[in-house]
Amino acid sequence: MTVKPKIRGFICTTAHPVGCKEIVKSQIEYVKSKGKTNGPKKVLVIGASMGYGLSSRISAAYGCGASTIGVIFDKQGSDNRTASAGWYNTAAFEEFAHSDGLYAKTVNGDAFSQQVKDEVIALIKKDWGKVDMVVYSLAAPRRTTSDGTVYSSVIKPVGGDFTNKTIDVKTGEVSNITVSPATESEIFATVKVMGGEDWKEWIGALKAADAIEDGAVTVAYSYIGPEVTHPIYKDGSIGRAKAHLAAAAKDITKTIDGVTAYVSVNKALVTQSSSAIPVVPLYISILYKVMKEAGLHEGCIEQMQRLFAEKLFGNGGVQTDSEDFIRLDDWEMREDVQKKVMEIWENISGGNIEASADLEGYRKDFNMLFGFDAEGVDYEADCDTSIGIASID
Ligand code: NAD
């Protein structure tokens, strides 16, 4: 069948297998072009099918020559229904990795569940013995805990209403949005989903099973951003979860012998999860324009390649700031970049959006999340939507 994008709000309900494969291939080529890093060799990536997790897996495999196990939560397609983009990304990654002689296996299921933890640990014990790195890159709307309780995360301010500019990416319309504050139980639930509890459970389970090397590192991802987004992000419900994640990093390092945990603060980028946050897509479109003009723009793969090659496993050792964060948002937060972004932010309206922000770049990146808008792909051609993932079929 031919596959076209079907966008509903913040999500595209179709994905293009050939486009996804092309995008994975270009990420691999980018990492290959940067040369080798002396890094980890057996890497578990939790949340490996999209965004920062996918690019982490590619950077580990192609930058460090690592074997990888990915945990994903994706849907397989059929002859008349497409799979999720993460499924096609993973199928493509495994195909390239295997033909390049790299070990790559994937477990598809809910990473929060004990069943998936048990399955992954059994696989690690059987195939590797132990892991030497764990990337924790989940961005999830909900989590079911072992007692059956379902927690849903919300993106809301804490303490009071938040009003600021936002954009309808489809129409380019800029308007004011007011988001009412999260309740205490919504904050609690958001911390349950996006905080560090499950990360610590993973590392604890690996340690208890003797499936993690002495000297192993684990990294999870966070965001800080400029003041204009603080009420909805850093100081909001998700920020509470990220503070919990940062505390979990210290807790893991302190209590799980032989493992050092880091939080890497990454750049704001178009991913499936960031597109659902109010205000942030307008900020990202302005940021893209400023950073592209300054020659500083990076996508997920450039960020993750830099994380592995320079910030974690470079010659100078692990690079952290005074609060022990790895700062991959260093270029985003540069004073000159932020000054320009804020000048544009003050004056932006629907009337000047195309000239003041990189809305086209935003839309292209959004389409590319689902395999659309990739260079050199014939979107009129029939394609096989039912392709499988080698290690799962
Ligand atoms: P994403 O939506 O692109 O990817 C999230 C991944 O998690 C997907 O592969 C998804 O399938 C997987 N996943 C979700 N629920 C799962 C489950 N229950 N079991 C297994 N896999 C599951 O998101 P992203 O933007 O790459 O976010 C990854 C991390 O990076 C998050 O912690 C996020 O807060 C952080 N981060 C994102 C940005 C940004 O701008 N996008 C910036 C800084 C930090």
Side-chain angles (χ1 to χ4, degrees):
M1 63 190 254
T2 56
V3 181
K4 302 286 170 201
K6 278 194 195 139
I7 297 172
R8 309 247 183 287
F10 310 118
I11 178 120
C12 179
T13 59
T14 53
H16 201 282
V18 183
C20 287
K21 186 172 179 179
E22 215 34 55
I23 292 160
V24 167
K25 186 174 161 207
S26 69
Q27 291 203 13
I28 289 173
E29 276 164 6
Y30 175 79
V31 175
K32 276 182 166 170
S33 77
K34 292 288 182 181
K36 290 281 176 217
T37 297
N38 187 13
K41 293 290 171 258
K42 291 168 290 177
V43 180
L44 169 63
V45 182
I46 302 161
S49 69
M50 300 276 285
Y52 278 120
L54 172 67
S55 297
S56 304
R57 189 177 195 181
I58 292 172
S59 298
Y62 283 90
C64 308
S67 300
T68 58
I69 291 175
V71 181
I72 68 167
F73 200 24
D74 280 283
K75 282 203 203 82
Q76 181 159 19
S78 64
D79 287 340
N80 54 14
R81 190 174 46 87
T82 77
S84 55
W87 180 274
Y88 291 141
N89 289 339
T90 305
F93 172 77
E94 279 203 10
E95 192 184 328
F96 289 121
H98 296 164
S99 69
D100 291 328
L102 289 163
Y103 173 108
K105 287 189 183 175
T106 302
V107 172
N108 187 31
D110 182 359
F112 292 121
S113 70
Q114 193 55 46
Q115 193 193 329
V116 164
K117 291 184 178 79
D118 292 344
E119 198 182 325
V120 169
I121 289 170
L123 180 62
I124 290 167
K125 300 279 289 178
K126 177 169 80 67
D127 285 4
W128 295 347
K130 297 180 185 190
V131 290
D132 57 5
M133 179 176 190
V134 180
V135 176
Y136 188 84
S137 187
L138 292 187
R142 71 190 65 81
R143 168 185 175 196
T144 306
T145 47
S146 51
D147 62 0
T149 312
V150 180
Y151 296 95
S152 294
S153 64
V154 298
I155 308 271
K156 292 185 178 179
V158 168
D161 284 356
F162 170 55
T163 301
N164 213 321
K165 292 175 188 178
T166 198
I167 189 168
D168 179 332
V169 174
K170 200 168 157 198
T171 61
E173 191 192 332
V174 177
S175 60
N176 268 343
I177 185 170
T178 298
V179 191
S180 46
T183 62
E184 280 306 317
S185 71
E186 285 176 324
I187 296 168
F188 183 79
T190 306
V191 172
K192 276 276 176 194
V193 182
M194 290 298 288
E197 188 176 67
D198 182 65
W199 183 24
K200 193 180 173 199
E201 278 178 22
W202 266 102
I203 306 302
L206 287 160
K207 182 73 184 175
D210 196 24
I212 189 160
E213 298 278 7
D214 252 8
V217 292
T218 181
V219 64
Y221 301 135
S222 187
Y223 183 65
I224 295 176
E227 259 173 49
V228 73
T229 64
H230 282 182
I232 198 71
Y233 201 99
K234 179 175 169 283
D235 300 335
S237 51
I238 182 73
R240 293 288 181 92
K242 293 300 185 187
H244 189 273
L245 192 78
K250 291 200 181 346
D251 190 21
I252 290 169
T253 304
K254 201 167 146 199
T255 60
I256 303 182
D257 206 28
V259 182
T260 311
Y262 297 100
V263 168
S264 171
V265 180
N266 299 346
K267 178 189 177 189
L269 282 175
V270 182
T271 64
Q272 208 167 354
S273 41
S274 71
S275 57
I277 308 176
V279 180
V280 166
L282 179 59
Y283 167 73
I284 290 181
S285 355
I286 300 172
L287 182 73
Y288 272 27
K289 182 175 173 69
V290 172
M291 291 188 80
K292 281 179 185 176
E293 280 176 5
L296 292 172
H297 181 67
E298 294 176 298
C300 286
I301 195 63
E302 290 83 359
Q303 282 262 296
M304 293 299 98
Q305 192 279 332
R306 197 153 67 89
L307 173 68
F308 278 73
E310 293 178 24
K311 301 277 184 183
L312 271 174
F313 307 110
N315 293 335
V318 182
Q319 311 282 304
T320 54
D321 69 5
S322 57
E323 290 176 85
D324 294 334
F325 290 125
I326 294 171
R327 300 303 296 262
L328 275 169
D329 64 342
D330 44 0
W331 300 352
E332 169 181 354
M333 297 312 291
R334 255 171 54 165
E335 213 180 309
D336 55 333
V337 170
Q338 283 303 318
K339 189 165 174 278
K340 278 194 189 136
V341 171
M342 286 312 130
E343 276 165 16
I344 297 174
W345 182 272
E346 294 305 325
N347 297 311
I348 203 154
S349 66
N352 60 10
I353 185 80
E354 299 293 345
S356 311
D358 183 21
L359 199 52
E360 270 324 296
Y362 187 101
R363 289 187 183 123
K364 185 172 165 66
D365 273 11
F366 182 82
N367 291 340
M368 285 176 68
L369 294 177
F370 307 95
F372 299 103
D373 262 6
E375 306 295 325
V377 175
D378 178 2
Y379 288 101
E380 299 308 319
D382 277 342
C383 55
D384 176 7
T385 48
S386 68
I387 55 171
I389 294 173
S391 72
I392 291 178
D393 283 355

